[in-house]
Amino acid sequence: MSLSFDKGQPNQTRLWHRRQLLQAGSLVLLLGSREIAQGAELVAVRVWPAKDYTRVTLESDEPIRARQWLIPDPPRLAIDITGLDLQPALKELVAKVRADDPNIASIRVGQNAPGVVRLVIDLKQAVQPQVFSLKPVAPYQHRLVMDLYPTQATDPLEALIAEKMRDGAGTSPSSSSSPDSAAPADPLGELMAEHAKRKPGPGPVPSPSGPAAPLAKAGPAKTDRLIIVALDPGHGGEDPGAIGPGGTREKDVVLQVAQLLRERINERPHMRAYLTRDGDFFVPLHVRVQKARRVQADLFISIHADAFYSQRPQGASVFVLSERGASSSAARWLADKENAADGVGGVNIQVRDQALRQTLLDMSTTAQINDSLQLGGAMLGEIGRVGKLHKPRVEQAGFAVLKAPDIPSVLVETAFISNPDEEERLRDPAFQNKLADALMRGIERYFARNPPLARNRAI
């Protein structure tokens, strides 16, 4: 506001203007420089290293803007952040870089100009950065997110092949694909041949005769190729999921259960588990689906721990996708809550929307949903043997993470983490092992009735 007066004004009016001007000057002296040119205050800084990508997050009480550019030699990313001054939290950020971070070597911080802080991220390899802002949501205030994706990203299928070869369960590509080899067909070799876009060997496997039995004992139901089960531990990284009254985080317990289930799957001949995340980092919903499709998974199992506003609800549930809306209001509420994970975890909207057009908007077929219902029924029956069930039937709703159109997919709510008794059980390694055993039996029951066919999806 500008204050002005001229000599032609009455004395009383001029006197009033002088008084206003003096009061304004006194206010400036009282406020001081910090309040006049106030910048954003950092609330928290976080670094989430993973082989998929490393995320750096600055959380502030006010929005901040960033401009970034890559410097190739040596590789580093420079970021000018406007609306921010040097503060102790930035020293914490520098100290949070871990020696085993696959992407970041170090972070340097300096005041580039008044109200502009420059971050220089020294890189261990070339990256494709995504820098974006997120509005306040759930427990978070304004966030500036810096995602560093390796330029030479690891292909999920190649990673799965390499893992199996390290375990000594397969053969080399040359030996498995040689036409003169007299060795029996190797399922890993078949998978590697497909990855190289060669024609796979075995055809459809005939249905087993006689009553259904677990896969390990079914005999004729065994397949001549590798069965891949995609395990999807919910939440992760910026998104802790539900938090129990004792402080247990959903993202931690579901990862532990998924890792136990992976051990059981990998012990079976002709079976291999693939985890959409194997550490504490966030994976967007559409990327979870993409990963499962990339490794040509035969099943997709998303593992969660339920929560409600009160502590009374208890028991496990199994959900599949619905074409015609949710099977109950509770299922619809849960699907909406799980689908909101992208907002909490933090997704680059521009990248997500492009991927949604390519993946999540594919029409899920009736056959996929029917297969998912069979898988869900098998798993629900086994889970009911180790704990209480919240609902005695498989429920349906529009879960975004279940929208792979060509993979039978289920979402398992293992228990209510908001219930103190069930939270304690979820933390118990003995109960986690029982859960993993039950889920494994459900997988075996499903394959005993539905042996996998030869792979024919494009890689």
Side-chain angles (χ1 to χ4, degrees), residues 333-415:
W333 177 84
L334 181 64
D336 291 342
K337 180 170 72 76
E338 297 295 356
N339 291 347
D342 274 356
V344 179
V347 173
N348 188 337
I349 299 298
Q350 182 178 357
V351 173
R352 183 192 67 177
D353 289 348
Q354 180 181 4
L356 283 173
R357 287 193 293 269
Q358 298 172 356
T359 302
L360 292 188
L361 297 185
D362 288 348
M363 292 298 293
S364 292
T365 65
T366 302
Q368 184 261 13
I369 292 177
N370 288 339
D371 286 343
S372 300
L373 285 167
Q374 291 187 52
L375 173 62
M379 303 196 90
L380 193 69
E382 295 298 334
I383 295 172
R385 295 171 56 184
V386 300
K388 295 181 180 179
L389 294 179
H390 185 63
K391 290 288 181 67
R393 65 184 183 277
V394 178
E395 295 244 53
Q396 293 182 260
F399 293 89
V401 79
L402 301 182
K403 290 187 177 180
D406 46 3
I407 306 173
S409 304
V410 299
L411 186 145
V412 178
E413 296 283 358
T414 53

Side-chain angles (χ1 to χ4, degrees), residues 9-74:
Q9 291 177 317
N11 289 338
Q12 186 175 3
T13 303
R14 292 206 306 265
L15 191 62
W16 180 84
H17 278 303
R18 285 197 190 99
R19 187 177 298 115
Q20 293 292 102
L21 186 60
L22 287 171
Q23 289 176 350
S26 300
L27 180 63
V28 168
L29 292 173
L30 288 171
L31 288 175
S33 59
R34 176 176 175 81
E35 285 77 8
I36 297 169
Q38 183 177 4
E41 188 75 19
L42 289 179
V43 176
V45 294
R46 293 178 288 273
V47 181
W48 304 97
K51 65 177 182 295
D52 285 26
Y53 73 107
T54 294
R55 167 169 289 191
V56 178
T57 305
L58 304 183
E59 184 181 354
S60 58
D61 60 351
E62 298 289 341
I64 51 180
R65 301 186 307 276
R67 182 176 67 91
Q68 80 275 1
W69 62 97
L70 282 167
I71 304 168
D73 190 20

Side-chain angles (χ1 to χ4, degrees), residues 30 55 95 110 130 135 137 159 174 184 205 272 274 283 298 300 375 380 386 396 414 440 443 451:
L30 288 171
R55 167 169 289 191
Q130 291 184 18
K135 294 180 179 179
V137 62
S174 58
V205 179
R272 198 71 192 173
Y274 172 77
V283 182
D298 295 282
F300 179 89
L375 173 62
L380 193 69
V386 300
Q396 293 182 260
T414 53
M440 187 69 236
I443 293 170

Side-chain angles (χ1 to χ4, degrees), residues 3 7 14 37 45 47 59 80 108 118 139 159 169 185 212 225 233 306 309 318 320-321 323 329 358 369 426:
L3 299 176
K7 295 180 180 179
R14 292 206 306 265
V45 294
V47 181
E59 184 181 354
D80 278 353
R108 293 172 283 142
R118 174 167 293 179
R225 69 162 176 85
D306 214 340
Y309 298 114
V318 178
V320 304
L321 192 64
E323 285 184 304
S329 57
Q358 298 172 356
I369 292 177
L426 284 170

Side-chain angles (χ1 to χ4, degrees), residues 191-200 459:
L191 184 62
M192 297 178 72
E194 284 192 28
H195 188 53
K197 297 187 179 180
R198 293 188 288 268
K199 184 178 179 181
I459 295 180

